[in-house]
Every structure is written in structure tokens, then in C-alpha cells.
Amino acid sequence: MLCPECGAQVSALREFCPECGSPMDPGLRELRPDRPRKGLRPAGEELKGNRKKVLIAIAAVLSVVVLGRQMVGRDFDFDSDKRPVIASRPEARGAVTITAEQLYQAYRDDERAADRRFDDREMVVSGEFLRIVPDGYGSLDLRLKTSNPEIPVGIDVTQLAIEDAKKLVPGQQVTVSCKGMGGSGNELWVRDCAIQPGSDVTAPATQPSSNSSPPAAAEGNGA
């Protein structure tokens, strides 16, 4: 005969199904209505079991995520200890090579733009030497000619360049290497300057006096 619960073949001599344990006698089944089927759970119990499994899985995933973050954090801390922090630095800018007239015009046309262009940059300035001016601090300043006689370019000469500066004569072309701008506007000057070796700092040769005897004429070849 067939088990009314699980459908298994059961001998007529058995009172209970060997597969699911259900009573084969209908009267016994009515007396035991709460007996669950083998391999099956009531709906409420099954939901509880599934919920428990889901919670366990979520807890496991969270544990893995937290552990991974902690490990990554330790790795980053380790790397940060090993690697020095390098502060951002402004891009280095090379020296500016310019004439005194060009420098004057740059500040005349747009003083702010000129400040941005020449700020904290070495300067190589060339131009026509005008004169030497004492700076009041025991040193000398040069003046280079511009198209505006009221605003020449001032050259702040370093101590080592004073002797070379004393050899200059008005009208001579000179080139100086300077540490940077020292002033702008109506007081246009560059600071800490040295006269470049290429400049002619030799004083002009003394002309012979009129009393000097003329050089002897070269002898001509006889005919």
C-alpha cells in the first residue's frame, strides 16, 4: 500500500511508514495531526531557518569587508610611513634675458603682468651705460639708458663688481647678471648684479698728446 503522506510503498503489516514515519492507520493520523512530514518543515519554521542563514551570510560578508578595510588601511599607513611627503613646489623658471629698453616698456605697458613675469627670476640685462650713482650704503649703482630719460634702469652692483663698474664709460654697451627685480614703476631697478665678462669694461686708451713726435715714416724701396 502507499503512504498517504510521502507516497512510499509500505507493507500492510506496518503501522508507520518507514520513510516518513507517518501512521498508516487513518485513525492514528487523526490523533497525531501535528506530526510533520519527513524532510519537510512547517512554513514558519522554514522561514526562520532561511532568515537565520541570510543573517549569517550578511554577517560573514560584513566581516570580510571590515577586515579588508583594516588591512588596506594598515598597508596605506605603512606606505605613508615609508614614503616622505613631498610638498608641491612651483615650477622652476629660467633666467630672463632682456634689454633695458624692453624691461622699461614691459613695466610701462602693464606693471602687474611684468611683476608676474619677472618675479623671483634671475635677470640678464643689457643696455647703454649712462652713469654711476652712489647708493648711500657704500656701494655703487649703475644706470642703463631707456627711451624715457626720467626712468633709466638701475643696476644694483655687488661688491665684487664695483671695480669693473668703475671702468665703464658713458655710451658703452654693458651686460649684467642679476638675482632678480628690486623695484618697479618709477624706480625700475634690478638687484645683486655682476658685470658679465663679455662686456667691454676696459677704459678707452689715452689719445697721444699733440706734442708727441709723429711716428717715423717707413722707408720706401729704392727704384
Side-chain angles (χ1 to χ4, degrees):
M1 58 183 304
L2 297 177
C3 174
E5 295 294 334
C6 66
Q9 288 287 344
V10 182
S11 172
L13 300 177
R14 290 182 175 272
E15 295 182 0
F16 299 96
C17 175
E19 296 294 329
C20 66
S22 298
M24 299 300 296
D25 188 347
L28 293 177
R29 284 198 299 274
E30 292 177 359
L31 293 176
R32 302 174 63 186
D34 57 339
R35 182 178 180 88
R37 299 179 183 180
K38 184 178 180 179
L40 300 177
R41 293 183 181 181
E45 185 177 352
E46 184 174 359
L47 289 176
K48 290 180 181 179
N50 291 339
R51 186 179 304 166
K52 185 177 181 180
K53 290 181 180 179
V54 171
L55 292 176
I56 293 175
I58 292 175
V61 172
L62 291 176
S63 299
V64 172
V65 170
V66 172
L67 180 61
R69 287 183 177 178
Q70 291 177 350
M71 294 180 64
V72 170
R74 285 199 296 269
D75 290 341
F76 285 165
D77 291 341
F78 176 80
D79 290 341
S80 63
D81 291 340
K82 292 296 184 180
R83 276 184 286 208
V85 177
I86 301 176
S88 59
R89 298 177 180 177
E91 183 178 354
R93 300 189 297 172
V96 176
T97 301
I98 195 170
T99 66
E101 176 63 20
Q102 290 171 339
L103 188 60
Y104 161 71
Q105 290 180 5
Y107 277 95
R108 180 199 61 187
D109 296 340
D110 191 334
E111 185 172 348
R112 290 187 179 180
D115 281 336
R116 290 193 298 268
R117 177 184 176 189
F118 303 123
D119 185 38
D120 293 331
R121 299 183 71 176
E122 294 184 0
M123 308 286 292
V124 179
V125 185
S126 59
E128 181 181 334
F129 170 67
L130 292 176
R131 58 186 176 273
I132 292 178
V133 180
D135 64 356
Y137 298 96
S139 185
L140 299 176
D141 287 349
L142 307 182
R143 296 292 185 267
L144 299 185
K145 182 179 180 180
T146 68
S147 56
N148 186 349
E150 300 295 328
I151 308 178
V153 175
I155 305 297
D156 175 32
V157 179
T158 62
Q159 291 292 329
L160 296 178
I162 289 178
E163 294 303 319
D164 287 340
K166 292 178 179 179
K167 299 176 183 178
L168 296 173
V169 294
Q172 182 177 345
Q173 291 293 318
V174 62
T175 302
V176 293
S177 300
C178 309
K179 293 296 185 181
M181 293 298 302
S184 59
N186 292 331
E187 295 184 357
L188 189 61
W189 60 284
V190 283
R191 58 182 174 82
D192 301 326
C193 301
I195 299 173
Q196 286 193 353
S199 301
D200 183 7
V201 295
T202 304
T206 303
Q207 296 295 330
S209 63
S210 58
N211 294 330
S212 299
S213 300
E219 295 183 359
N221 294 330

